[in-house]
Amino acid sequence: EWVRIRGGDSASLQLKSDEDAGEFLRGFASAEAGAFWSGNTSNAIGKVLVPSEGNVFSVWDIGCGQGQEALSIAALLKSRFPEKQIRVWAHDSDLLKVSNAPNMVYELSELPEWIRGATQEGRNGAIFKKEISDSVSFEYHDVLNENKLPPVNLIIAKDVLSFFPADGRTKLLADFQETLVSGGMLIIGDNERIKDGNWSEREAPGLRWYAKTF
């Protein structure tokens, strides 16, 4: 696609500025990156979620940004499994974003209709109900460092693997293998694929995810 846009000579293909890099990556990011899940996405994931065996359903959300995705999954899980305790570990290496995430306030019009029932009117706008906000732990964390988490039922790592060198991807996939429970789900970016034989690709309408093969 880059060759088509820029032409075939090597000079025009070089990335010479931040603007070039942004243009090169245009279209790579997942459709709802940094945003609340749409009703279609929440429905697609909700239909294939496997209930946890215990009383807790745990999630590891990597690259959570300002928390829209983490709050989306928390709200969905609370609706889907009201009898279970929901625990979401939301990590990001952007200190400013992850520090601001717990204090975000929204206009009701910013929120997709399906998630509005998980909010209430705050002093300056819509905030998430305590049962939702308390279920999400926002933390500054570099995933290439040691990851000490209990077993989780769902890992969300959209547009993460592609930005690490090969050894970083290998380490992270090994951490995913160790942390994800049997029968759990790994969701990565729209334009990412895992070729590692330890993972099996699964699909359902509107959704693609991975499961461990052992």
Side-chain angles (χ1 to χ4, degrees):
E1 178 66 9
W2 188 240
V3 171
R4 186 189 67 77
I5 293 172
R6 287 297 186 96
D9 65 284
S10 60
S12 65
L13 296 177
Q14 296 300 313
L15 304 182
K16 299 175 182 178
S17 66
D18 289 348
E19 290 73 19
D20 281 354
E23 181 67 23
F24 179 76
L25 291 173
R26 187 187 302 276
F28 177 79
S30 295
E32 295 173 358
F36 288 106
W37 286 351
S38 66
N40 288 339
T41 297
S42 64
N43 286 337
I45 295 177
K47 287 178 180 178
V48 298
L49 283 171
V50 178
S52 59
E53 293 186 359
N55 295 324
V56 180
F57 193 107
S58 299
V59 181
W60 185 13
D61 181 22
I62 303 167
C64 67
Q66 292 184 310
Q68 289 90 339
E69 186 166 67
L71 291 165
S72 293
I73 187 59
L76 172 61
L77 289 170
K78 199 63 183 176
S79 173
R80 180 75 172 76
F81 307 121
E83 74 286 358
K84 294 189 181 294
Q85 179 184 349
I86 308 304
R87 196 79 175 88
V88 181
W89 283 272
H91 291 167
D92 203 289
S93 60
D94 187 320
L95 180 58
L96 182 61
K97 285 184 178 181
V98 81
S99 297
N100 289 333
N103 305 312
M104 293 293 290
V105 178
Y106 305 93
E107 294 292 335
L108 203 60
S109 60
E110 295 180 79
L111 305 173
E113 188 172 346
W114 75 271
I115 207 172
R116 293 177 186 176
T119 68
Q120 62 188 32
E121 187 64 29
R123 184 178 304 173
N124 298 310
I127 60 174
F128 280 82
K129 294 178 179 177
K130 184 175 174 57
E131 63 181 9
I132 302 298
S133 59
D134 284 356
S135 69
V136 182
S137 296
F138 291 105
E139 300 176 4
Y140 169 80
H141 180 62
D142 182 343
V143 293
L144 292 187
N145 294 332
E146 188 173 7
N147 297 304
K148 291 186 176 180
L149 289 174
V152 301
N153 305 92
L154 171 64
I155 297 174
I156 304 172
K158 292 182 178 178
D159 307 336
V160 171
L161 291 168
S162 298
F163 291 91
F164 291 124
D167 57 345
R169 291 195 297 272
T170 299
K171 178 191 181 300
L172 199 50
L173 285 171
D175 287 348
F176 291 170
Q177 282 276 339
E178 182 177 347
T179 307
L180 194 64
V181 303
S182 177
M185 297 173 62
L186 167 62
I187 299 176
I188 59 175
D190 295 349
N191 293 301
E192 294 180 313
R193 300 291 186 274
I194 298 176
K195 301 302 183 183
D196 187 327
N198 293 323
W199 296 92
S200 173
E201 186 175 293
R202 309 285 176 83
E203 288 193 36
L207 181 65
R208 177 176 46 81
W209 75 97
Y210 288 83
K212 293 194 296 188
T213 57
F214 65 91

